[in-house]
Amino acid sequence: AASRTLRSEPPARAASLVSAASLAVLAVVFVAEFLMAYSLLKESPGHDPALVRMACWGLGLGLALLAGQGVLVFAALVRPYREAAIRVEHLAQALEQHSHRDLLTGALNRTAFDQHIVRELEALRRYGAGFCGIMLDVDGFRQVNEAKGYELGDQTLYDLAQLLKLHVRKADLLFRWRSGRFLILASGIDTEQAGHFAAKLAELVAGHAFRQEVRLTACVGVAPAQQQDTPEQFVGRVKSALALAKDQGPGSVASAEG
């Protein structure tokens, strides 16, 4: 957010300078025209009232024309800066989105996880907002790449990520950890509830027909976050749960308490 603000400051500052300069020039012209008309009337003591009215109307019309011209000039000068500021904002948003998403699957990446986990743990310590980590790892994904080719392997990972996105809750965060491994931060549920959720995900993966009749199973590990956790301790506990699941065999689910 700070980078977006910094990048959009130069166009905004330039637009402000142009605006101030335009208003200053208009003010000088208005004052000069008024003084000129006033001096002409003052120097003609026997002036005709009709002449005064014409002068006043002329002065008013001149001011209106100058004001209109000033608005048009101001709009023409400011528009490019405003459009540039909007383009910079859009580019900054696209860059931030790109830097926090896995290019292959569209899931959040490790960089995004490093930011989210700090906030989640802080919310847990301050407000007791509990959450669990659910780590899913495809069994024998290397064999899929070797048997079907890496292109199909990538397509399978993409499809798996879309499948998981459809079935995680809106409040949950899905990250691609590496290769065929994904991590879900599931908020507001305890270990038992997260275990049921993990079992459903394992069944979902096993029952899904991927492209070219590829079939997958996945082990899933579940662990709750603790208030005293560092990000490394939390991730280590989730990985330990996944290791327990893998020891039990393909498609297994295991939990680690803390």
Side-chain angles (χ1 to χ4, degrees):
S3 64
R4 291 200 300 270
T5 302
L6 290 174
R7 292 180 183 183
S8 58
E9 278 181 358
R13 189 182 300 114
S16 299
L17 292 175
V18 170
S19 174
S22 301
L23 291 176
V25 170
L26 283 175
V28 171
V29 172
F30 290 166
V31 171
E33 185 179 38
F34 173 79
L35 292 175
M36 183 181 298
Y38 178 77
S39 63
L40 288 175
L41 292 174
K42 187 176 180 181
E43 292 173 0
S44 302
H47 56 269
D48 186 353
L51 178 62
V52 175
R53 286 195 296 271
M54 290 179 62
C56 290
W57 278 104
L59 178 60
L61 180 60
L63 291 176
L65 290 174
L66 283 174
Q69 185 179 14
V71 170
L72 292 176
V73 172
F74 175 76
L77 290 174
V78 171
R79 187 181 300 111
Y81 294 103
R82 186 176 300 166
E83 292 175 351
I86 293 173
R87 286 196 299 270
V88 169
E89 181 72 14
H90 289 168
L91 288 172
Q93 291 176 355
L95 179 61
E96 182 177 355
Q97 179 79 356
H98 178 76
S99 65
H100 286 75
R101 292 281 173 181
D102 176 60
L103 295 179
L104 175 61
T105 64
L108 294 167
N109 60 19
R110 296 280 288 273
T111 300
F113 174 81
D114 291 340
Q115 296 180 3
H116 281 287
I117 190 59
V118 172
R119 290 197 290 265
E120 295 293 330
L121 289 173
E122 184 63 23
L124 173 59
R125 283 188 283 267
R126 287 192 177 188
Y127 312 113
F131 64 96
C132 287
I134 302 173
M135 186 169 280
L136 179 148
D137 193 16
V138 176
D139 297 314
F141 187 70
R142 180 181 298 178
Q143 283 72 27
V144 175
N145 284 329
E146 293 175 350
K148 301 288 187 176
Y150 285 93
E151 182 176 352
L152 181 60
D154 288 348
Q155 293 173 348
T156 302
L157 283 180
Y158 173 82
D159 291 342
L160 174 60
Q162 307 320 303
L163 183 66
L164 295 175
K165 286 179 185 179
L166 287 174
H167 291 85
V168 299
R169 301 169 306 165
K170 291 183 178 180
D172 297 337
L173 298 170
L174 174 66
F175 304 86
R176 186 186 180 196
W177 200 252
R178 63 174 178 80
S179 188
R181 183 172 295 188
F182 294 84
L183 174 64
I184 300 168
L185 293 182
S187 61
I189 59 177
D190 56 26
T191 309
E192 182 178 359
Q193 293 170 323
H196 292 312
F197 182 29
K200 289 181 180 179
L201 291 178
E203 293 175 1
L204 180 70
V205 173
H208 187 77
F210 293 89
R211 305 185 194 195
Q212 297 188 25
E213 300 181 354
V214 171
R215 291 284 181 172
L216 302 176
T217 60
C219 288
V220 190
V222 176
Q226 305 291 342
Q227 289 191 349
Q228 71 277 10
D229 275 346
T230 63
E232 293 76 16
Q233 289 171 332
F234 169 73
V235 171
R237 189 180 305 112
V238 178
K239 286 184 176 180
S240 296
L242 179 62
L244 290 175
K246 285 185 169 295
D247 288 342
Q248 296 173 16
S252 299
V253 177
S255 300
E257 284 298 335

